[in-house]
Amino acid sequence: MEKTVLITGASSGIGCELAKLFAKDGYHLVLVSRKSNQLDAVAGELRQNKAKVTVIPADLSLQGAAEHITEQLEREHITVDVLVNNAGFGAYGAFAELGSKTQLDEIQVNVVALTHLTRLVVPSMIERGSGRILNVASIAAFLPGPFSSIYYASKAFVLSFSEALASELQGTGVTVSVLCPGPTDTNFFRRAQMVPDGRLKMMSADEVARTGYRGLMKGQTVIIPGFLNSLGVALMRLLPKKLLLLIARKVQGK
């Protein structure tokens, strides 16, 4: 029986690579992004490989975007078996200097839309007794981030929310996983207007997606791709908060 996956932020990076993995396993893909041209290009490539793809252009920074997505799913009689909340972005700079709209959009995309879309989809999963949810956070979720304060805080929300929801849904047949990648070779740094340290070792979006996909299918709750990232998170759990803040400022170049 055909299963359907809904992936937000699917036009590039980790979301696009996850779409390829789901396509190989025969899923019907519902791809969401605000970048309609890139989304159509990704959909076209996947269709050439015989994948069934539905495209929903949507800007998750707008209120009501989650409802717009689920309303279109209802009109087309599409049931979501797997939800991947991948869309997100960061902004670099002092909290008092960054534009209010940019920071509020960050919260809307990274927190509000993710939460709302999950709330709209999960009841039917519970009713059917099956479903998977993958929320994409970051290793930034494990420490405060001066000069990217909203981004780090939003990813901490995603991590905490995902772990709590995974516990709530035990025994329902619905699993919740949270993917926490470290620095990844995507458009993230360009959009955040950050210049990554040349010494920073980045994983490819494909590597991160494969690790996330395997963890999701195993029902793993917290997924941290890469040995160095896993080691870093383990150290973060041990270090005092003041030292973490100093490290975070240095990483941000401040």
Side-chain angles (χ1 to χ4, degrees):
M1 183 176 177
E2 181 183 74
K3 290 190 174 183
T4 298
V5 58
L6 168 63
I7 306 174
T8 66
S11 60
S12 64
I14 297 168
C16 178
E17 296 301 327
L18 282 167
K20 294 175 184 177
L21 295 172
F22 279 102
K24 285 180 181 177
D25 277 352
Y27 278 77
H28 171 201
L29 308 170
V30 179
L31 306 183
V32 177
S33 174
R34 65 188 178 88
K35 299 175 181 177
S36 57
N37 290 338
Q38 289 185 32
L39 195 61
D40 287 339
V42 170
E45 180 184 340
L46 291 166
R47 286 173 182 139
Q48 285 181 353
N49 293 317
K50 310 302 181 185
K52 181 179 178 181
V53 186
T54 299
V55 168
I56 303 180
D59 185 346
L60 295 181
S61 71
L62 302 178
Q63 291 187 8
E67 290 166 328
H68 163 71
I69 293 166
T70 54
E71 285 169 3
Q72 183 159 336
L73 294 174
E74 288 174 6
R75 284 195 298 271
E76 299 190 27
H77 305 289
I78 296 172
T79 299
V80 175
D81 299 288
V82 181
L83 170 63
V84 179
N85 284 307
N86 168 72
F89 75 97
Y92 175 70
F95 174 77
E97 296 172 5
L98 279 172
S100 294
K101 184 179 186 307
T102 296
Q103 296 186 85
L104 292 174
D105 283 353
E106 219 175 332
I107 295 169
Q108 184 69 34
V109 174
N110 296 4
V111 175
V112 177
L114 177 149
T115 307
H116 195 185
L117 193 52
T118 302
R119 177 60 184 83
L120 291 171
V121 168
V122 86
S124 63
M125 288 183 173
I126 295 171
E127 186 177 339
R128 295 193 307 273
S130 67
R132 300 182 190 273
I133 298 169
L134 177 65
N135 294 325
V136 179
S138 164
I139 59 170
F142 296 93
L143 75 164
F147 302 97
S148 289
S149 57
I150 298 297
Y151 177 76
Y152 279 62
S154 70
K155 293 306 181 180
F157 171 89
V158 174
L159 174 62
S160 178
F161 169 66
S162 300
E163 289 184 293
L165 188 58
S167 178
E168 282 188 29
L169 295 178
Q170 285 179 2
T172 66
V174 181
T175 63
V176 181
S177 302
V178 55
L179 177 61
C180 300
T184 306
D185 188 10
T186 66
N187 292 327
F188 173 84
F189 289 99
R190 181 180 56 77
R191 186 176 182 189
Q193 297 185 329
M194 292 176 65
V195 178
D197 189 324
R199 297 168 297 178
L200 198 62
K201 181 172 174 54
M202 292 193 185
M203 291 184 71
S204 69
D206 174 65
E207 288 178 290
V208 171
R210 288 182 183 279
T211 303
Y213 190 78
R214 286 195 299 268
L216 172 68
M217 293 307 170
K218 290 177 182 176
Q220 186 178 340
T221 302
V222 180
I223 306 164
I224 303 171
F227 171 76
L228 290 178
N229 292 325
S230 298
L231 180 61
V233 168
L235 290 173
M236 288 178 208
R237 294 182 187 275
L238 297 173
L239 295 175
K241 189 65 66 68
K242 283 186 178 181
L243 182 55
L244 284 176
L245 283 164
L246 288 173
I247 293 170
R249 284 183 69 110
K250 186 172 183 180
V251 169
Q252 299 283 39
K254 296 291 184 177

